Amino acid sequence: MDAAIDIRVADLRVNFGLPRDSLSGVNLGVAKGEFVALIGASGCGKTTLLNVMAGLVPAAGGSAIIRNAPPIAGRRDICYILARDALLPWRTVLRNVEYGLEVSGVARKEREQTALLYIEKVGLKAYRDFFPSRLSQGMRQRASLARAFAVGRSVYLMDEPFSALDSQTKLMLHDQLLGLWESCHATVVFVTHDIGEAITLADRVIVMAKAGTGVAGEISIDIPRPRSAEALQADSRYHDLYRRIWARLKASTE
């Protein structure tokens, strides 16, 4: 496998014991340090593909290779961020952000220092001792991002982490995610239904074909970094890309 490629999916097929495959003929490569967004209609297999990459769903055919090895659940170089924050309700923000470091065996003083650094990066310093029940959904997702990036993984798999947020909060979280990613340049595969979100975050947008039948196309996001989620709203290139992705997405469902 090319050392510059972190994720390689070849002729992937997934079947859950049904007459029709959930995924078939999926081919995809993601370069080291690349941010790729997967977009497509409901039922096209975006989350299933992410679950294969995470080692949670086995392939019925073809292959998925993540950083030169088949995916297995629990790998220490992969972090999976779900649509919901999954914070532990009995832990404060600080202790939640420490959790991944604690599980990894990092000493208490070091993990607290690292957690505090990432809490500050996402603007939650004043809330470090709050329990999740006292936080808004946006703040909970910020804590979730801090927890994820504090552990310093090589690959991040993200399944619509901002889908439950309002538009204004989403824009703020986009900027914070970009800041965290730009400080480490991990490889990211990000599932979304939101075209604007995909353009704001990604280097490349992959449009999935309907009914899990592979990749319908891809579009490079040729907008320089660093990016501002708010500033992009007034950028003509953003709107041109939006129209192109929408056209490809519409064609993929016909």
Side-chain angles (χ1 to χ4, degrees):
M1 183 173 173
D2 187 340
I5 300 295
D6 258 2
I7 300 172
R8 175 73 70 190
V9 176
D11 296 321
L12 182 71
R13 185 169 69 85
V14 175
N15 188 285
F16 294 110
L18 300 173
R20 182 179 62 81
D21 288 339
S22 296
L23 281 177
S24 62
V26 179
N27 292 280
L28 173 66
V30 182
K32 183 177 181 180
E34 187 178 19
F35 197 127
V36 167
L38 299 180
I39 196 165
S42 295
C44 71
K46 301 183 297 297
T47 296
T48 298
L49 179 55
L50 216 62
N51 286 337
V52 172
M53 293 177 181
L56 301 176
V57 169
S63 64
I65 301 295
I66 315 297
R67 302 189 73 234
N68 297 314
I72 58 172
R75 277 179 50 168
R76 292 292 182 90
D77 56 345
I78 297 175
C79 180
Y80 198 166
I81 301 176
L82 303 172
R84 287 292 177 177
D85 55 75
L87 297 178
L88 301 175
W90 58 88
R91 283 183 172 239
T92 63
V93 168
L94 175 60
R95 298 305 175 207
N96 263 290
V97 176
E98 281 186 29
Y99 182 69
L101 297 163
E102 182 180 338
V103 171
S104 299
V106 177
R108 184 179 182 88
K109 184 176 181 180
E110 181 183 348
R111 70 180 185 246
E112 182 172 317
Q113 290 174 340
T114 301
L116 287 171
L117 172 64
Y118 279 86
I119 286 169
E120 187 165 3
K121 284 185 177 186
V122 299
L124 290 179
K125 185 177 180 180
Y127 302 91
R128 52 172 280 179
D129 296 321
F130 280 44
F131 289 95
S133 60
R134 297 183 63 192
L135 305 177
S136 68
Q137 188 59 48
M139 293 165 73
R140 290 170 65 104
Q141 286 292 23
R142 285 152 66 187
S144 180
L145 286 177
R147 179 178 61 185
F149 280 87
V151 296
R153 299 302 190 233
S154 300
V155 175
Y156 286 85
L157 307 175
M158 303 188 183
D159 189 10
E160 299 193 75
F162 308 140
S163 60
L165 304 179
D166 62 82
S167 298
Q168 183 177 2
T169 304
K170 262 191 179 185
L171 288 178
M172 180 183 68
L173 267 292
H174 290 162
D175 281 338
Q176 291 188 330
L177 173 56
L178 286 172
L180 291 168
W181 174 73
E182 286 165 1
S183 69
C184 69
H185 281 287
T187 303
V188 176
V189 180
F190 187 103
V191 167
T192 181
H193 280 95
D194 185 331
I195 295 174
E197 182 169 74
I199 296 168
T200 299
L201 298 173
D203 296 311
R204 190 160 47 104
V205 176
I206 306 296
V207 179
M208 301 288 289
K210 65 179 180 179
T213 54
V215 172
E218 62 177 68
I219 295 173
S220 294
I221 306 301
D222 52 356
I223 299 177
R225 298 184 186 275
R227 298 175 190 163
S228 161
E230 183 177 357
L232 281 176
Q233 308 305 305
D235 192 320
S236 62
R237 294 170 297 183
Y238 171 92
H239 297 286
D240 288 341
L241 284 163
Y242 196 105
R243 286 189 288 269
R244 287 174 57 198
I245 295 170
W246 170 246
R248 184 66 62 87
L249 186 60
K250 185 178 179 182
S252 74
T253 62
E254 294 175 348

